[in-house]
Amino acid sequence: MAPVPKMMKAIQIEETGGTEVLQYKDVPVPTPKDTELLVVNEFLGVNYIDTYFRTGLYPSPKPMILGREASGTVAALGSQVPKSLGFTNGDRVVYMGTSAYAEYTACPAEKVMKIPEGISSPDACAAFLQGLTALTLVEETHRVQSGDWVLVLAATGGVGGWLCQILRAKGAKTIGTVGSEEKVNIAKEQGADVVVIDRPGQGDVLKTVKECTDGQGVAAVFDGVGKDTFERSLECVARKGTVASFGNASGAVEPFLISKLSAKNAKVARSTLFNYLFTREEFEHYSAKLFRMMIDEQFSVRIHHTYPLKDVARAHTDIESRKTMGKLLLKP
């Protein structure tokens, strides 16, 4: 393996704002702490949460290198990385952490997984955070049962596409929303049984839910859109059902009266992936399950586009347009 340089290219922000605050610049290569690995990144995942940090919706210290996941190769190990984890230089790995929009990242070894044979580096990166988000939503936030009717918003998005595939494997019946006609067949290929074009004059989501469920509503709504759809999600959910709010694509959900839930004894959950994968045991359990789905059950990994790292502004513009289908990747 080539020696580690002193400087690297990275995407750093020093203030919040639009894509103009994304700086492609030279910064020092980090030195891994005792329990960290230094990874030379090959593919970097673009996620909506990256835009939240960029805009200031989620506060964070500045300057900050954006990015929450990447795949690559181990370049160095901290002095106290547990041998039980089995890492060595040259291992192909995928990780969740921070500061991933860079050529090198120092990340906690506890949040790194080896990439199994049979899974490529771009597929591992494309699947990791969004696939694990979808998996924990249907296993932890609301445990979906075979035969349940479920509503998935943005069914061809990164998480939405994984939700549709996992729900199909579980035997659930999925209603998926999309933003255009061209996305309908993609949503069906991913596993949606019924697809609604969620645009004024083109589709009525609530009406479709009532027709499919004999007026009962869905057992769960997986809503990554946020502000614009939350009230409708409450209308769509069945008695004793769950609205799982996991994203803010249209803005943060506004405060509401908790007494509103009593009409149906409904539940609202606002989960985050990292609290489901807090321990190494949890992280390994769900990562292994995701890898099995990719290898044994041949779940598809849809990559919308791979952008050069310097073109990160274009990637952010595209993901915020809500017109993409699948995962956006960056290549250092």
Side-chain angles (χ1 to χ4, degrees), residues 135 166 288-299:
L135 193 53
I166 295 169
K289 196 164 189 175
L290 177 65
F291 293 151
R292 285 197 301 272
M293 288 176 169
M294 296 172 69
I295 296 171
D296 298 339
E297 300 180 44
Q298 298 184 328
F299 276 36

Side-chain angles (χ1 to χ4, degrees), residues 272-286:
T272 178
L273 172 63
F274 301 97
N275 280 334
Y276 288 137
L277 307 180
F278 188 78
T279 68
R280 180 68 185 182
E281 181 181 18
E282 291 169 331
F283 186 59
E284 289 183 350
H285 168 76
Y286 280 113

Side-chain angles (χ1 to χ4, degrees), residues 35-37 39 41 68-72 74 81-82 85 87 92-98 100 105-115 124 128-129 132 136 272-287 291:
T35 57
E36 291 183 334
L37 302 178
V39 177
N41 295 322
R68 310 290 285 189
E69 66 177 337
S71 60
V74 176
V81 171
L85 297 180
F87 292 118
R92 291 194 317 135
V93 294
V94 61
Y95 66 86
M96 293 192 310
T98 58
T105 301
C107 49
E110 292 282 338
K111 297 303 180 187
V112 181
M113 289 293 295
K114 291 183 182 181
I115 301 173
F128 207 51
L129 194 147
L132 290 173
T136 54
T272 178
L273 172 63
F274 301 97
N275 280 334
Y276 288 137
L277 307 180
F278 188 78
T279 68
R280 180 68 185 182
E281 181 181 18
E282 291 169 331
F283 186 59
E284 289 183 350
H285 168 76
Y286 280 113
S287 297
F291 293 151

Side-chain angles (χ1 to χ4, degrees), residues 31-93:
T31 300
K33 297 177 183 177
D34 289 346
T35 57
E36 291 183 334
L37 302 178
L38 182 66
V39 177
V40 53
N41 295 322
E42 186 178 1
F43 291 92
L44 324 173
V46 179
N47 296 287
Y48 241 104
I49 194 172
D50 303 338
T51 70
Y52 302 159
F53 284 113
R54 192 202 75 222
T55 61
L57 179 62
Y58 288 0
S60 61
K62 305 294 185 297
M64 176 190 187
I65 296 175
L66 294 176
R68 310 290 285 189
E69 66 177 337
S71 60
T73 305
V74 176
L77 289 81
S79 60
Q80 296 181 30
V81 171
K83 292 184 179 180
S84 59
L85 297 180
F87 292 118
T88 59
N89 285 341
D91 283 342
R92 291 194 317 135
V93 294

Side-chain angles (χ1 to χ4, degrees), residues 132-305:
L132 290 173
T133 296
L135 193 53
T136 54
L137 281 169
V138 302
E139 294 282 348
E140 301 264 6
T141 310
H142 179 92
R143 185 172 288 275
V144 176
Q145 304 296 326
S146 178
D148 283 348
W149 274 103
V150 177
L151 175 62
V152 174
L153 305 189
T156 58
V159 176
W162 278 101
L163 281 167
C164 289
Q165 291 189 83
I166 295 169
L167 289 166
R168 176 172 57 187
K170 280 181 164 289
K173 294 172 285 188
T174 302
I175 302 167
T177 72
V178 297
S180 63
E181 184 71 41
E182 64 181 338
K183 294 183 178 182
V184 172
N185 286 337
I186 301 298
K188 289 181 177 179
E189 290 172 9
Q190 298 272 69
D193 298 280
V194 178
V195 181
V196 186
I197 301 174
D198 191 9
R199 296 177 66 87
Q202 288 191 271
D204 188 325
V205 176
L206 180 58
K207 180 181 178 182
T208 302
V209 165
K210 289 183 176 180
E211 289 175 348
C212 290
T213 64
D214 295 325
Q216 299 302 305
V218 291
V221 181
F222 294 109
D223 186 343
V225 177
K227 180 180 178 180
D228 290 352
T229 55
F230 181 71
E231 290 293 333
R232 187 186 66 195
S233 293
L234 290 176
E235 292 185 81
C236 289
V237 77
R239 184 178 65 88
K240 299 195 291 185
T242 301
V243 174
S245 176
F246 65 93
N248 308 299
S250 65
V253 173
E254 296 178 347
F256 67 98
L257 290 174
I258 196 169
S259 58
K260 182 177 290 190
L261 304 179
S262 64
K264 299 179 181 178
N265 283 8
K267 297 179 285 294
V268 171
R270 182 57 173 94
S271 59
T272 178
L273 172 63
F274 301 97
N275 280 334
Y276 288 137
L277 307 180
F278 188 78
T279 68
R280 180 68 185 182
E281 181 181 18
E282 291 169 331
F283 186 59
E284 289 183 350
H285 168 76
Y286 280 113
S287 297
K289 196 164 189 175
L290 177 65
F291 293 151
R292 285 197 301 272
M293 288 176 169
M294 296 172 69
I295 296 171
D296 298 339
E297 300 180 44
Q298 298 184 328
F299 276 36
S300 65
V301 179
R302 178 173 290 274
I303 297 173
H304 175 77
H305 190 67

